[in-house]
Each structure stands twice: as C-alpha cells, then as structure tokens.
C-alpha cells in the first residue's frame, strides 16, 4: 500500500507519455507537409504540446517509479502551475464569452451577427490582419461555403431566407441582407448602382469562391459567435480536466512524500 500512489502515478504518466508521441509526430508532419496557412498555423502549438507532455510525463514516470525526488518535485511544480493556468483560462473563457449574440431577424430562419456586439478582447483577436489571414485560410479550407452552395443551390431567395443557417454560413457565405444585392444562387449576388449603402461589408463582398464575405465584419462576428459557443463547451471540459489534474497532483504529493520517507529510511539505515 505504501507504494500504491507511486505505481498509480507511474501508470498515468506512462499513458500520457504514449499519447505525447503521436501528438508530437502530428505537429512535425504539419510543419513539413502542411499545404496551407491553416495547417501550418497549427504546427507550432501541436509540437509545443507534444514536447510538454513528453517531458512532464517522463519526469513524473521516472520520479515516481525510480524514487527520484527532485524530478518528482519539478513535476509537482509544473502540475501546480498548469492547474493555476487552466483555472485562470476557464474563468477568462466564461468572462469573454458572456457578451454577444446573434440578432433574430423577422421572417428569417437565421440570425444577423454584428462584430461590435462581442467583447473587445475577442474583437481585437479577429481584427488583427495577421490573425485573420490565417483564420480565413482555415475557413476556406473547411469548404464551409462550398457546402453551403451545394446544399442550397436550387433554393429561391424566399426559400433561402427560411433556412436555419449557421453563424459562419450567414456571416461569411452570403452578403448582409441590407446590401440589397440581386440573388442568383446562394454564393452569387449581383451588385447594381442602386445598392448604395453605408455598410462596408457590402463593398467587401465578391462572388469569387475564395473571397465572398470572408473579409466582412459579419464573417468575423459569425466566427466569434461560433467561438463563443465552443469556448463555453471547452470551459466545461476544463472544469472536469481540472478535477482530474487535482487528483493526479494529490497522488503526486503522496508519491513525493513516499520518496522522501524511503530516502530518509535508507539514509538512516546506511548511517546508524
């Protein structure tokens, strides 16, 4: 029973070590084989995560199973910092996603999304030219507007207005309703001289498949609405993960105490 916590911690870190290998490999593959800015944007975070899990799991594994107290102490420090960071991130996720929602439109099956309705912190993330270029690449790669085009290709404008479009479809794949463009098919709209409007999104719209409304504020707002929903789900998962980390941290503390007790015992046995 005395070594139970050490063995359990060793098993948990061995599993984490095995998981870190495919994560690290995926990051290296993305860096070397990534075909787009979207894929290359993900390589560094994936590699960092893989290396982090690899190093931390090795420290926990060796510290717990081989009785190396200083390694286990470092492992516990990192785990404590991870718990603090994850706790702070969870709080921030709830705070920054507390503001903003789509506006219900009369006789429309979808909502209207305005960039100014969301938190300033989130707005700054998507209005950055560097960030948005990579995000836009991901949206194009996901073929969200291609799928939108194929799915509603035979719809009349009246029917399209009744569709329950996602935030990204409504914001990125069609011009804002206020532009008054002439509808042809879901991703092709005709601008005329009578379409004068103060909405800059109307000027940003283009029928080219890789342009559409990807440069529009409505698209950025649609992304933030999607992000808001996803972050709230992530925050809930983080709470569960936090509980798991606290349990592992507690087991690690027991293992560290075991190591110190054993080292003290052997030291006393060698020097009576």
């Amino acid at each position: 029973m005395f070594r139970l916590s050490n063995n359990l911690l060793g098993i948990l870190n061995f599993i984490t070590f095995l998981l870190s290998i495919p994560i690290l490999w995926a990051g290296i593959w993305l860096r070397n084989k990534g075909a787009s800015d979207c894929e290359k944007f993900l390589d560094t975070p994936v590699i960092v995560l893989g290396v982090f899990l690899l190093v931390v799991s090795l420290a926990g594994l060796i510290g717990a199973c081989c009785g190396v107290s200083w390694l286990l102490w470092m492992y516990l420090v990192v785990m404590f910092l991870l718990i603090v960071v994850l706790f702070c991130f969870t709080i921030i996720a709830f705070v920054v996603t507390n503001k903003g929602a789509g506006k219900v439109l009369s006789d429309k099956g979808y909502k209207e999304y305005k960039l100014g309705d969301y938190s300033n912190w989130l707005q700054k993330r998507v209005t950055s030219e560097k960030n948005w270029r990579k995000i836009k690449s991901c949206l194009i790669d996901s073929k969200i507007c291609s799928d939108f085009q194929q799915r509603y290709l035979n719809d009349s404008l009246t029917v399209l207005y009744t569709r329950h479009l996602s935030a990204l479809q409504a914001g990125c794949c069609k011009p804002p309703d206020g532009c008054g463009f002439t509808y042809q098919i879901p991703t092709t709209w005709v601008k005329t001289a009578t379409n004068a409007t103060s909405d800059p999104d109307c000027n940003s719209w283009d029928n080219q498949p890789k342009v559409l409304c990807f440069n529009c504020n409505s698209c950025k707002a649609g992304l933030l609405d999607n992000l808001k929903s996803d972050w709230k789900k992530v925050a809930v998962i983080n709470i569960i993960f936090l509980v798991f980390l606290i349990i592992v941290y507690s087991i690690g503390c027991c293992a560290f105490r075991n190591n110190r007790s054993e080292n003290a015992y052997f030291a006393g046995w060698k020097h009576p």
Side-chain angles (χ1 to χ4, degrees):
M1 292 297 291
F2 183 69
R3 296 283 299 178
L4 178 61
S5 57
N6 293 64
N7 294 334
L8 183 57
L9 187 66
I11 292 170
L12 290 172
N13 280 283
F14 180 69
I15 295 172
T16 305
F17 171 76
L18 293 178
L19 289 174
S20 70
I21 295 174
I23 292 174
L24 184 58
W25 178 86
I28 295 172
W29 184 89
L30 284 173
R31 172 158 293 183
N32 294 324
K33 304 292 184 179
S36 66
D37 286 342
C38 178
E39 292 178 347
K40 292 178 181 179
F41 177 60
L42 296 174
D43 63 356
T44 300
V46 172
I47 290 174
V48 170
L49 177 62
V51 172
F52 175 79
L53 290 176
L54 183 70
V55 173
V56 172
S57 60
L58 278 176
L61 182 63
I62 297 172
C65 297
C66 300
V68 183
S69 295
W70 69 269
L71 264 181
L72 199 53
W73 182 83
M74 289 183 62
Y75 171 81
L76 290 174
V77 170
V78 172
M79 287 292 289
F80 177 77
L81 293 176
L82 182 60
I83 290 171
V84 172
V85 169
L86 199 58
F87 176 78
C88 293
F89 174 78
T90 303
I91 297 298
I92 292 172
F94 277 116
V95 171
V96 299
T97 58
N98 190 47
K99 182 183 178 183
K103 180 183 178 182
V104 177
L105 300 173
S106 177
D107 300 324
K108 301 289 194 318
Y110 52 87
K111 297 179 180 179
E112 183 180 65
Y113 302 91
K114 298 292 185 181
L115 188 60
D117 292 340
Y118 297 87
S119 75
N120 292 331
W121 188 86
L122 285 177
Q123 287 184 50
K124 290 178 181 178
R125 304 286 83 74
V126 299
T127 53
S128 163
E129 185 65 30
K130 179 181 178 181
N131 289 346
W132 185 249
R133 185 180 69 251
K134 294 175 181 178
I135 293 170
K136 182 171 66 174
S137 173
C138 291
L139 292 175
I140 294 172
D141 285 352
S142 70
K143 301 186 184 301
I144 186 170
C145 290
S146 299
D147 294 341
F148 167 77
Q149 159 84 351
Q150 292 301 318
R151 185 172 182 179
Y152 304 119
L153 182 61
N154 297 319
D155 284 2
S156 65
L157 181 59
T158 303
V159 174
L160 183 67
Y161 279 159
T162 65
R163 297 296 188 183
H164 296 286
L165 306 181
S166 69
L168 288 173
Q169 287 175 333
C172 306
C173 303
K174 55 176 285 299
D177 295 345
C179 295
F181 294 163
T182 302
Y183 174 79
Q184 291 190 328
I185 56 176
T187 57
T188 302
W189 301 69
V190 179
K191 296 181 181 181
T192 65
T194 59
N195 294 141
T197 176
S198 59
D199 189 345
D201 284 358
C202 299
N203 294 324
S204 298
W205 170 265
D206 192 288
N207 290 325
Q208 292 296 321
K210 291 188 176 182
V211 180
L212 300 179
C213 221
F214 288 120
N215 294 316
C216 297
N217 287 332
S218 63
C219 184
K220 296 172 183 177
L223 175 76
L224 291 186
D225 195 80
N226 232 41
L227 192 64
K228 173 184 174 181
S229 176
D230 290 343
W231 270 33
K232 285 192 173 180
K233 294 175 184 176
V234 169
V236 172
I237 294 173
N238 278 352
I239 293 173
I240 298 172
F241 190 47
L242 265 174
V243 173
F244 173 75
L245 284 180
I246 291 171
I247 293 173
V248 174
Y249 181 76
S250 301
I251 295 171
C253 289
C254 292
F256 181 69
R257 187 172 63 247
N258 291 347
N259 284 359
R260 294 193 64 180
S261 298
E262 287 188 359
N263 291 340
Y265 172 79
F266 283 115
W269 181 75
K270 291 179 181 179
H271 302 284

